Amino acid sequence: MTQDNPTLYQVSPSMMDLDADEVDVFNALLAEWQRHLSSNIRNEAYYRGKVKPVAVDSSMPKELLDLGIVSGWGGKCVDVLANRSVLEGFDGEDAATLESIVPISSLIELYEQAVTSELTDSCAFLTVSKGMEGEPAVIVSAHSALDAAAIWDERKKRIKAGISVVDIDVDKGGRRVPTWVNMYTDRFTYSCRKVGETWKTDKYENKLGRPLMEPLRYRPSLTRPFGKSRISKTVRSLIDRALCVGSRTEITATFYTWPMRYLLGVDKKTAEEMSKRKVEMYADSMLLVTPNKNGDTPQLGQLSQMTMQPHIDHLEMLGKQFASEACIPLDEVGIVFDNPTSSEAMFAAQQRLIVEAEHVNRMNGIALGNVARMVLAAAGEENYRTADVTPRFADVLRPSKAANADFAIKVNSAAPSYSLTRQFWRDLGYADPVIDEILREMRQSAIVQAASQAAMQAATAKQPPQPRGEGDEHIG
């Protein structure tokens, strides 16, 4: 999972058609990418379940390590939280303008992939660029930490410069040598391609005044501005231990299902013959043994069967520790209790996960808002700095449709105008295209009703006053 040659690849000013300062930034970004590459590859391996049991002592047999035991805990650690961070769209006065530039469906799909990489590698990156001939006017791309890196600006609290590695090659020393790199700075966006031993660069001016690159970060801090991975050192240790328990359990299962019987007083010839028929002896319901040459009848016995309970208890203990560390419910790691739990107990078990999801949505919402303004700027919108566009996420509590509908109806009984909002119909479970049709029909119905009332009032106003009859005298 690590590179054979840890030497970092760098370029000299003579290899690029850039000035010395630009080459220094390029090399610093390459060094940042290569420095974290091995740890990111390791995290991806844990996420995909491609790690093998680690030998805890030298006496562990090789067959134990070659059983192919796989743990899905790394994927669970990431996916359970990623499934709670669901982008539904954008709200605000400029949301329609954003959707006319970049389809919201593509942004939703892109975010779903990016948040998984963010939680696996501590961060992911979204970039904005103008499309070439035959492409959309503005293109939004996502990059994992495996193929992107950035330098943090402590003063401005944003990215100072970043790169996305589009293509790589592996040299004879085992180093990953990038051959196509896009670099993002405050003033320019660079497209750098390696041709032979030199680099050719296309430079595009950036009028936004900041790199067209935005990070999605999980749990950033002052000391780790690009966040931390969900697959932490503690999580990796628990997965390693669980893999070892799984390996030992498989070996024990063989002895657990295969009865260990023995015979005393068997001559050598019979013992050799029986050793050749192990499977038949295991399957036979009756064992026939003749007396030995001394006339003694062999004595049959059976060893006590091994139990799987210690291994089950050990794995359950590790599962509970893992669930606590990853803030996920126990049933996600396969620990299910016999007695059904109440709804309050189920909510309490998910409380920490809900808090984590709210934090992810809050931080990623800020990043997505910045990306939306980048898109508007790239499309030439003049009000991109003050644009009213806010990401909208699904409720992390994941309430049922019936609960949402009941909530919406109760709110509407207290505030009848609530049924005229989009959120009311979202609570009822309708998708945005259906809501658009419903609201359009409601507006048309309101217009027809208003016109009908106006016509009735006009007709009433035109009617002449009725003359009074003889019995209409006023009695005062």
Side-chain angles (χ1 to χ4, degrees), residues 67-107:
L67 284 175
I69 303 298
V70 177
S71 172
W73 287 3
K76 283 287 185 181
C77 181
V78 171
D79 292 340
V80 171
L81 179 55
N83 291 337
R84 294 271 180 166
S85 182
V86 179
L87 178 65
E88 290 187 332
F90 290 82
D91 293 328
E93 295 181 358
D94 298 293
T97 305
L98 175 66
E99 186 170 5
S100 67
I101 301 171
V102 179
I104 298 300
S105 58
S106 64
L107 290 179

Side-chain angles (χ1 to χ4, degrees), residues 2 24 34 89 137 167 175 184 209 257 292 294 301 303 326 333 369 437:
T2 59
D24 288 343
Q34 293 174 98
D167 198 8
R175 294 182 305 178
Y184 306 87
T257 57
N292 58 21
N294 298 326
L303 299 176
V333 293
E437 185 65 25

Side-chain angles (χ1 to χ4, degrees), residues 152-171:
W152 188 253
D153 192 326
E154 292 290 348
R155 180 176 177 82
K156 297 179 180 178
K157 303 304 178 185
R158 61 166 173 81
I159 285 178
K160 180 184 293 184
I163 59 170
S164 61
V165 181
V166 181
D167 198 8
I168 65 169
D169 196 2
V170 179
D171 64 9

Side-chain angles (χ1 to χ4, degrees), residues 9 51 53 56 61 110 145 201 210 322 324 348 363 387 428-429 431 443 448 464:
Y9 174 80
V51 291
V56 294
L110 200 66
T201 305
R210 57 155 297 171
F322 173 82
S324 176
M363 297 299 296
L428 294 183
R443 286 193 296 268
V448 171

Side-chain angles (χ1 to χ4, degrees), residues 11-26:
V11 300
S12 61
S14 60
M15 296 171 60
M16 300 190 72
D17 49 352
L18 300 175
D19 60 37
D21 292 337
E22 291 172 325
V23 173
D24 288 343
V25 174
F26 186 82

Side-chain angles (χ1 to χ4, degrees), residues 90-102 107 128 130 138-140 208 212 368-390:
F90 290 82
D91 293 328
E93 295 181 358
D94 298 293
T97 305
L98 175 66
E99 186 170 5
S100 67
I101 301 171
V102 179
L107 290 179
V128 177
K130 289 187 176 181
V138 180
I139 296 177
V140 181
L208 189 61
L212 298 180
L368 289 172
N370 292 335
V371 171
R373 282 180 277 276
M374 289 181 190
V375 171
L376 295 175
E381 297 292 329
E382 296 182 356
N383 65 330
Y384 66 89
R385 294 187 185 277
T386 59
D388 179 18
V389 55
T390 305

Side-chain angles (χ1 to χ4, degrees), residues 8 66 124 130 145 170 249 271 344 371 377 420 439 453 462 467:
L8 300 180
D66 295 338
K130 289 187 176 181
V170 179
T249 303
E344 291 79 8
V371 171
L420 303 177
L439 294 179
Q453 290 178 353
K462 291 181 179 180

